[in-house]
Amino acid sequence: LSTIKIGCKNELFGHNLRLGNSLVFWALCGRYVLGHEAMRRMGTANVLIAGMRGLGVEIAKNVILSGVKSVTVQDEGPAEWMDFSSQFFLLASHLGQNRALSSLSQLSGLNPHVHVSAHTGPLKETLLQQFQVVVLTDSTLDDQQRFGTFCHSNGIKFIVADTKGLCGQLFCDFGEEFEVLDTDGETPASAMIDHITKADPGVVTCIEQRHGFVNGSTVSLSEVCGMTKLNSYGPVDIKVLGPDSFSICDTSSFSEYKKGGVATEVKKSKMLQFKPLDEALVDPELLVMTDYGKMTKHQTLHLAFQALHGFVKRVGRLPKPRSQSDAELLVAMVTELNKVSHLDQLDEGVVQSLSFTACGDLAPVNAFIGGLAAQEEAMFYLSGKLSIGMCWWIFIPCLSALSTALLSLLQRGSRYDGQTAVFGSGFQERLGEQKYFLVGAGAIGCELLKNFALIGLGAGEGGHITVTDMDSIERSNLNRQFLFRSQDIGVREKQKSEVAAQAVRVMNPNMNITAHQNRLDPDSEQVYGHAFFMGLDGVAAALDNVEARVYLDGRCVQHQRPMLEGGTLGSKGHTLVVVPHLTESYGPAKTGSQNASPLCTLKNFPHRIEHTLQVRRLHEGPLGERSRSNDAYAIVPCRDAAGFLERTLGRGEAEALEVLECVWGGVGGQRPQGWEDCVGWARRQWETLYNNDIAQLLHCFPSDQLTSSGLPFWSGAKRCPHPLTFDPSNTTHMDYVVAAANLYGQIYGIVGTRDSSAIRSILETVHIPAFTPKSTVKIHLTDKEMEEERESGHLDTGRLDELQKKLSSPPVNSAALQMHPIDFEKDDDNNFHIDYIVAASNLRAENYDIPTADRHKSKLIAGRIIPAIATTTAAVAGLMCVELYKLVQGHRKISSYRSGYINLAVQYCVLSEPLGPQRFTVSDRSGEVNSAQSNPRGCLHPGKAGSNCTPPHPRTTLPGAVFAQSRRPSMHKGTQV
């Protein structure tokens, strides 16, 4: 079986992607983040993960979801109650059984294309030789040094990951020579060229205000007219002169630049050298800071983790919770180590806190370190994508989540023992009493629910979790939404929220959780109203768009409820904690943050493949809106046709004309009677879109057209198009006709075919009307012109009257009018949706001489797929739940909280103090009062003292609106702040 699976994987990762191969969907988002070659390399790797407590199973889960060849999990120990606070694949029936064997079934179910096996014996060098990557968790320092030396000398990539209570560490050694194929993990930047000077060096000016290049970037130039030698010159190093200009090579001997051109970044590879563990332990330069306000803590923790190993070796156990004598011994051992390290300052408080909590095992900390470890292993080494600033040692201190209150530390032999060892049983009861609202059960939502179950949030008397998500489960979800399985796909009653709720009830049978399928918006305020929010202790946002975040934030501000918010985009992620009266809120999104392309650009002046791929915005009428309008007309039947027309006209004459044209197209002379009519319609659509419309555009704006200022009209971002001539031997031409005809037939319940030869025979009989461009046609240059004409009321009222008369008496048999609206579904490769979009987009790209896109890229853009990977979502959810600990404890100092900003592609991980609410002055009868609030959307009482209202702040929203960047810290590519 494993041979068969590997065969499928190798076939997939070639360039010939077969339709219907389920593995296509499993690796989908990984390819969007890493690319084909990176995923191919990952598909040949064998990985060993030692230790199957919470951290080990977290790493294994993430690596298996990423799509490697095989994963072997190793553990000699039996499951015990202490493991249940973070090991999410253990059940009560597994107590006393081997942890690796107990987890095997669940791990194997995560990805059927990865061979997963268990090893219950001890680690030996002969075992390690079978793997390309070895990960140690829950290991001694002696084992780390012994196996680290062996792996370094044998070319095996070596990772050490460890968590102790509220602290975690990560070390990576990828050998003496490691080639980095991509140093930042970003999509290569590109920019359209406006002008190139003849000089030494030549200066390139771009159309866009920001080209996105940095000093030292290498670019290739293409599609340049005039100075054509640059098209074959090869990659050239640039020097950035400004946001819209850069210098290149000597162009003084080249011919004059005329127009056009695209500059595209060329990624450079880089060789890195890694130090073995023995050397890294004594090299302070390898320590990576994650919280720049706590540099001394990081340096101290580096020694404290080493001393902790010595403590275990001397005493035979970890320090006891809150044991002052054990803490004093550990401080003394750290002080002794510092005689060699010579740190200027030791933070003894950090050492004491580590000692107090070291025997604890917390799911959120494991989730964060496990996400980083799997990212290093799967996404960087295996894919060849790695930053120049690769981190060798990284420490994550979350000690601000530790309350200073005296805690009851009674161990009761329960699933929360690993957590009560840190916070005490009293805090555990408070966690169980919490009432939380989780919005979203996707990638981050699944990870949050897992953590909620493990920490026992809402699992006690009076506690409760409400989760809502209106989406059903799609196959492309499976590679990062680990609570779902293949058998959940396409089952109507298996919505995301319900399946996720059932999965976490298995992890923790005490969970009190209710699943809803409601969209969170003003329409659902009858369900999620004042009483609902006032009954909550907090809200967690796991949403995939800014608008929903803004709305939820406004509701939380209005009802003064804390909110945990997080988002990801590929390897990037952020977390934000909103505390009433203490921190800033998420705030309103800036207008236009979605950066939608103007409709006039899409219709007439596309210059990027992203423009041509927005087929859904251009062609919704023929393939979607027509059938919905027709159904509304057919449902009314002849009993109330007049009422239907009256309601339609009430929407305004312009909109009414569009709707009635759609209806007439479905019931009048355009309604197909059979498959031949569908093929004829598709062929005529092809002629209209890719020949006639272009000919009309060139009639209005000839190729030599000049603007009022005497400049060429077709210049800059305006590419001059050319009509296409239909050729049945052209694959793309036929792909369009096959897909369009089948989709059109589906609307009317007509069965089609993929048989191209049969369709060619039908095409020979299709009549194509002659086309003559009209001088009366007006083509809008801007969306503003389009809207002004629409609002001016200039429309064909005669046509509107004609349609009203034709539709006032529909056929008696209204059932014959029924149509089947098409809802876009990207994950079914047999439904012609992506086939149509790829062909339609590439034909339009050919019209405008835009480089075409393959199916992979087309599906990403047209399907609005948000690149997501399990590692980033796990890390983000872990950071959110660390802040949850603080909220439940009731911390009232802003310095206790942290906002998180990570970019795992460049080892960027910074935790910073959140911003406080802006202070301003309001007046009342008694005078002026300083109040820490302003008025975001949703606040009912602007100016009322104490309400958590903050003004909007600058926000950068990336495509998909998943990753929002706040003001602090900076997120410049490859920069740590």
Side-chain angles (χ1 to χ4, degrees), residues 833-906:
H833 295 189
I834 293 297
D835 295 341
Y836 177 84
I837 283 177
V838 173
S841 168
N842 285 338
L843 286 169
R844 191 159 177 78
E846 188 179 346
N847 278 136
Y848 287 84
D849 294 318
I850 299 170
T852 58
D854 60 16
R855 187 181 184 89
H856 163 72
K857 182 176 181 180
S858 300
K859 190 170 184 177
L860 168 66
I861 299 172
R864 300 170 188 169
I865 296 174
I866 301 160
I869 47 180
T871 51
T872 316
T873 54
V876 164
L879 288 178
M880 291 172 70
C881 288
V882 169
E883 300 306 304
L884 173 64
Y885 282 144
K886 304 171 189 177
L887 288 173
V888 176
Q889 288 173 344
H891 285 264
R892 295 307 306 162
K893 290 184 178 180
I894 194 171
S895 59
S896 298
Y897 294 96
R898 286 293 181 269
S899 295
Y901 303 85
I902 62 176
N903 184 349
L904 302 185
V906 291

Side-chain angles (χ1 to χ4, degrees), residues 82 165-166 319-327 352-362 401-414 416-429 889:
M82 185 66 93
L166 283 159
K320 295 179 180 179
R322 303 286 171 152
S323 170
Q324 190 63 44
S325 59
D326 284 355
Q352 178 175 274
S353 296
L354 177 63
S355 178
F356 283 171
T357 62
C359 69
D361 190 20
L362 301 178
L402 185 63
S403 175
T404 58
L406 185 62
L407 303 178
S408 170
L409 296 171
L410 178 63
Q411 297 293 305
R412 299 181 298 178
S414 79
Y416 307 118
D417 283 354
Q419 189 163 258
T420 56
V422 177
F423 299 114
S425 56
F427 177 69
Q428 188 61 54
E429 292 177 1
Q889 288 173 344

Side-chain angles (χ1 to χ4, degrees), residues 325-336:
S325 59
D326 284 355
E328 291 173 357
L329 175 57
L330 188 63
V331 169
M333 296 176 73
V334 172
T335 303
E336 186 66 24

Side-chain angles (χ1 to χ4, degrees), residues 773-839:
K774 298 179 177 63
S775 300
T776 56
V777 173
K778 180 179 180 181
I779 293 177
H780 303 101
L781 299 180
T782 66
D783 281 9
K784 184 178 180 181
E785 285 184 14
M786 192 182 307
E787 187 62 28
E788 287 175 350
E789 179 170 314
R790 183 185 180 93
E791 294 176 354
S792 67
H794 297 305
L795 75 160
D796 190 347
T797 56
R799 177 60 176 167
L800 183 60
D801 293 338
E802 179 185 356
L803 289 171
Q804 290 183 67
K805 292 177 182 178
K806 289 181 176 180
L807 295 171
S808 60
S809 300
V812 176
N813 183 13
S814 61
L817 305 183
Q818 289 294 319
M819 297 170 67
H820 311 281
I822 292 178
D823 293 315
F824 178 69
E825 170 51 60
K826 64 182 179 297
D827 287 337
D828 182 357
D829 275 336
N830 295 314
N831 63 10
F832 296 99
H833 295 189
I834 293 297
D835 295 341
Y836 177 84
I837 283 177
V838 173

Side-chain angles (χ1 to χ4, degrees), residues 477-509:
N477 300 149
L478 300 183
N479 81 322
R480 77 273 188 196
Q481 299 177 21
F482 83 107
L483 297 181
F484 309 138
R485 300 291 182 268
S486 297
Q487 59 268 28
D488 300 324
I489 299 168
V491 181
R492 184 178 298 275
E493 61 272 16
K494 288 192 172 184
Q495 298 291 104
K496 280 186 177 181
S497 58
E498 185 58 44
V499 175
Q502 292 174 359
V504 296
R505 287 191 195 102
V506 174
M507 292 181 185
N508 185 348

Side-chain angles (χ1 to χ4, degrees), residues 680 682-685 687-688 692 726 763 765-771:
R683 173 64 182 88
R684 287 187 291 272
Q685 279 289 112
E687 195 71 18
T688 297
N692 301 349
F726 184 78
L763 288 175
T765 66
V766 175
H767 172 67
I768 304 299
F771 175 77

